[in-house]
Structure formats: C-alpha cells, structure tokens
Amino acid sequence: MLIYLRVLKESFFFAISALKNNKLRTMLSLLGVTIGIFSIIAVLAAVDSLEKEIKGSLSSLDNRTMILTRFSFGPTEVPQWKREQFPDVSYEEYEYLSRSVPDVSAMSYVLNVPPENIKYSDKTASNVGIAAVSSEYYDIEALEIEEGRFFNMAESVSGTPVIVLGHDVYENLFGNRNALGQQVRLYGRKFTVIGVLEKKGASLFGGSHDTNVFVPVNVVRRIYGGSNRGTFPQVVIKPDPDVDSNELIAYISQQLRNFRGLRRDDVNNFFVNQLEGFTDLIDNMTGQLNFFGLIISGFSLLVGGFGIANIMFVSVKERTNLIGIQKSLGAKNKFILFQFLFEAIILSVIGGLIGLLLVWVGSIVVSQFTGSFQFILSSWNMFIGTAVSAVIGLISGIVPAISASKLDPVEAIRTGM
C-alpha cells in the first residue's frame, strides 16, 4: 500500500510539473476534458433542476389526483380533429359524479379563466390569476390559510361574491393592513375578502398561488356562461388513499358515458388524466434530455481523451532517461506503469474540476438572473463529473503507461542522453 501511495504522490508532482512547465500545451490538451465535463454536468444539473421545479409545482397535489377534462395530458390514439369536437365537462356532470362516484376524498369543479385586474380603493393588482373552483378544492390541494378561511359549500353553490387572496395580491392591495371583511372589485363587482393564503414563493411555471385569488366557481360561471369553451372546465378528483386508481378511473368513465348516453361502440369523448402518469411523462422526457446531452458531451470527452493521451506520450518521451534510471535502480514495470497511469488520471481530474467550477459559477449566475428558478449543482452530479474525468484519464493513459513500462533501461538511458 505504501508503494502505491508513493507512486500516487510522485505522479501528482509530475502532473503539477507538467502544468507549470508547459502551461499552454497542457491547458489546451485539458480543454477537451474541461468542455466535456462542463457539458455533461451542465446538462445533468439543468435537467435535474427543471425536473425538480416541475414536480415542485405539482407537489401540493396528491400524485394520484385525477383530472377529468376533454383534453389528454399524454399521447392518445384519438385524432386531434375528433378531440376538438369533444364537449366540455359540465357543472351538471360534476354534480352527478360527486353524488354517484364512491371512494373519493374530494371532487371539485374548476374553470380556467384569463387573468384580471383587482382593485381596492386607489390600489390595483394587475394580471392576477383567477382560480374559479368549488369549495372542495381546499381539500384537494394543500392550501394554507394565513388569515380568515376558505369559502364553504353553501357559498360555492350559491355563487356568493367572496374571495380568498394570494399573499402577493394581499400585499399589493392592503400592505400590512387587515383585509378580512374588506371589499375588492373584480369583474366590475364587489367581492368580500374572507381569507388570505400563506406566502409560498414563486414558481418557474407560474404555479405559485401568491399571485392568484380563489373565488366560488358559480360566480364565474354566471359571468362567462355555463358553456363557454374558453374557460376549459375540468373536474379535479382526489381518490381515497386505498382505492385502486384503475378501477376508479373505469368507474368514473362508465358513469360519465351513461350520463352522456354514449353507445357501446362509441369512444370516450373525455379523458380521465392522472398526475402520476404526468410525472411519468416528465421522467421520460428528462431521461431523453439526459441521454441526448450525454451523447453530445461524449464527443468533447473523446477529444479530451486524445488530448490527455497526447500529453502522456510527450511525458514519456521527455522522461525516457529518467525511466531508464528508475529501471536500472530496480523499479519494476508495474511501478512505472502506475506512475504514468496515475499522472494521466490526475491531469484528467484537474480538467474535470475546472469544468465543475465553470458549472458552479454558471449555476450562480443563472439562478441570479432567473429569480425563482434555482439551478442546482448537486453533490451527486459533482461526483459523476469527477468519476467520469478519472475514467477518461484512466483510458487515455493506458497505452502511454504501457509503452513507458516496457522501455528497455539501457536503451532508455542512451536515448535520453
């Protein structure tokens, strides 16, 4: 073990010497490894950060949550022209399903409507997201109320003009004053503030409720009409914990088919999407991004490998005389081989560490400019970068190390003189 530590120590000093004595040549040779490691780790970190951001925006919903709508979240065999003819899920269908479908913790009717301006006195909150939902939505998503309460079923069904403010909307309109019981103007009508949500922070995809408000769905239905195709109605369903998802989806589908009077040979003119399938789709997409990123980065590493091999062949030539002296003093072939092999690995790891440093600096810059999106360089990705660079050094240094270990001591001393 001591001899290997000695070899490693000598190899480290030889590698540092190569960097000091031939700065330009060595750095140019290491550039391929640096660019390759930078590309690989940048791709891995970017995809990991993107995946974390997307799943984080969905984290408030149970992974088994289902969304009934006329759109499919994933690939489907139904052609687009046919899907465009599908009817929206109606409020009456939601009421029917909420009465007839068992094994459901909560079921909410949701309308997706354009952002609006909300006014209070002389203050205006612009471009506010309007979440028009029935009261059960509070039980589906992990909403946390800082002050007041969420609207109840009676207010939801009757369409009482009440509103729950996201934290940023509350601060824009009221500052630090009490908002409960105050009236704001939305859609040209007065809404009474009954609650304020806790601050959650921004999301890359606008998923934060800080800039949203919640209102009873029937208020918005009266404004937009019950059959407005621009509101994209959907029914959000939270199953009981122990229920079989596939069986529940089949039961919901059959109940809705019966309600719509579809014949046996008619295809479903709706989709029951499950968030679990959506997260699987995200995993598949990020996996493909990682794969293509690694292929592209592989070309840089290939160039880097040739660069390391070039450095090592030059080192063997420059130290031929020293190799001959070492062998004449009893150094074994294995000692010489490991000496050059470790040197190649150390040089490659140095190039990889420079690449990691560039990714780290880049992650700080990106995070500063994107604000809410955090570019994360994980310790696992740093380990991958170091390990890959070490493997590149190992592969690139094998041939030069073998050639050095097989030199004849007499010829090596004569050649080096």
Side-chain angles (χ1 to χ4, degrees):
M1 177 58 71
L2 290 177
I3 192 171
Y4 290 112
L5 292 175
R6 178 187 166 195
V7 172
L8 184 61
K9 179 181 176 182
E10 291 183 0
S11 301
F12 177 77
F13 285 119
F14 277 127
I16 298 302
S17 176
L19 283 171
K20 289 181 177 179
N21 298 332
N22 303 282
K23 296 181 181 66
L24 182 61
R25 184 189 73 189
T26 306
M27 292 307 297
L28 288 175
S29 299
L30 292 182
L31 189 61
V33 175
T34 298
I35 295 174
I37 295 301
F38 172 83
S39 302
I40 287 178
I41 304 307
V43 168
L44 291 176
V47 172
D48 287 350
S49 302
L50 186 62
E51 182 179 12
K52 183 177 180 181
E53 182 71 21
I54 295 173
K55 291 185 175 180
S57 64
L58 298 174
S59 61
S60 58
L61 291 173
D62 190 312
N63 199 35
R64 299 167 71 245
T65 299
M66 302 170 186
I67 300 178
L68 171 62
T69 181
R70 64 184 174 97
F71 299 103
S72 174
F73 288 179
T76 175
E77 296 179 357
V78 183
Q80 183 176 353
W81 67 267
K82 195 173 187 67
R83 281 180 276 141
E84 290 176 351
Q85 299 175 357
F86 287 176
D88 279 320
V89 182
S90 68
Y91 188 79
E92 290 71 28
E93 288 171 336
Y94 150 72
E95 290 182 312
Y96 169 73
L97 292 174
S98 63
R99 292 192 306 265
S100 60
V101 177
D103 303 323
V104 170
S105 298
M107 185 183 299
S108 176
Y109 192 69
V110 179
L111 294 181
N112 295 286
V113 293
E116 294 285 342
N117 295 339
I118 299 179
K119 296 182 178 180
Y120 172 75
S121 184
D122 60 340
K123 300 290 184 62
T124 300
S126 303
N127 201 36
V128 176
I130 310 298
V133 301
S134 58
S135 59
E136 299 91 343
Y137 195 81
Y138 180 78
D139 298 319
I140 293 176
E141 188 166 357
L143 297 176
E144 297 181 5
I145 304 293
E146 183 175 281
E147 295 180 355
R149 61 179 178 84
F150 204 74
F151 46 83
N152 56 40
M153 182 177 292
E155 292 167 328
S156 176
V157 172
S158 64
T160 305
V162 292
I163 190 169
V164 177
L165 306 179
H167 201 274
D168 287 354
V169 180
Y170 156 72
E171 288 185 338
N172 289 340
L173 295 178
F174 295 95
N176 294 323
R177 292 176 295 172
N178 181 28
L180 300 183
Q182 301 297 322
Q183 291 187 326
V184 297
R185 294 194 68 86
L186 171 65
Y187 297 122
R189 307 182 182 193
K190 291 182 178 180
F191 284 73
T192 302
V193 178
I194 62 171
V196 177
L197 298 177
E198 286 189 1
K199 189 172 183 63
K200 289 295 184 182
S203 167
L204 175 66
F205 300 98
S208 172
H209 291 316
D210 292 345
T211 56
N212 293 349
V213 297
F214 286 82
V215 295
V217 69
N218 281 341
V219 175
V220 179
R221 287 183 66 234
R222 284 201 293 265
I223 295 170
Y224 278 88
S227 59
N228 192 315
R229 296 280 284 187
T231 57
F232 304 113
Q234 54 189 312
V235 176
V236 183
I237 305 162
K238 181 179 181 180
D240 285 338
D242 299 327
V243 71
D244 184 274
S245 297
N246 293 327
E247 290 182 4
L248 182 58
I249 290 174
Y251 188 81
I252 293 171
S253 300
Q254 188 58 51
Q255 291 297 309
L256 190 53
R257 285 180 63 88
N258 293 340
F259 189 88
R260 292 187 172 183
L262 297 179
R263 296 189 298 270
R264 184 186 296 271
D265 55 343
D266 290 337
V267 298
N268 290 344
N269 56 1
F270 56 87
F271 295 95
V272 184
N273 303 284
Q274 191 170 12
L275 288 185
E276 185 176 6
F278 186 60
T279 54
D280 290 342
L281 180 64
I282 293 172
D283 290 337
N284 184 44
M285 291 174 57
T286 52
Q288 291 180 3
L289 288 173
N290 279 331
F291 176 73
F292 288 115
L294 292 177
I295 289 178
I296 295 172
S297 304
F299 289 106
S300 297
L301 287 176
L302 183 63
V303 174
F306 282 116
I308 296 295
N310 177 64
I311 293 177
M312 296 315 300
F313 276 119
V314 172
S315 295
V316 171
K317 186 175 182 180
E318 290 178 343
R319 302 210 305 264
T320 300
N321 184 46
L322 180 59
I323 295 170
I325 293 173
Q326 287 179 318
K327 284 199 166 190
S328 66
L329 294 175
K332 295 183 178 180
N333 289 351
K334 185 168 64 173
F335 179 88
I336 303 297
L337 183 138
F338 279 118
Q339 187 180 69
F340 281 90
L341 206 55
F342 287 160
E343 184 177 343
I345 293 173
I346 291 168
L347 283 171
S348 185
V349 168
I350 290 173
L353 291 176
I354 296 173
L356 286 173
L357 178 63
L358 293 176
V359 176
W360 179 70
V361 173
S363 68
I364 295 175
V365 174
V366 170
S367 297
Q368 290 293 327
F369 278 97
T370 55
S372 61
F373 180 68
Q374 294 299 311
F375 191 95
I376 301 170
L377 178 59
S378 66
S379 55
W380 173 247
N381 284 338
M382 294 176 67
F383 170 76
I384 290 177
T386 306
V388 169
S389 58
V391 170
I392 294 300
L394 177 64
I395 296 174
S396 304
I398 285 178
V399 175
I402 291 176
S403 66
S405 66
K406 290 184 176 180
L407 287 176
D408 179 82
V410 176
E411 289 296 325
I413 293 173
R414 184 184 301 158
T415 304
M417 298 178 81

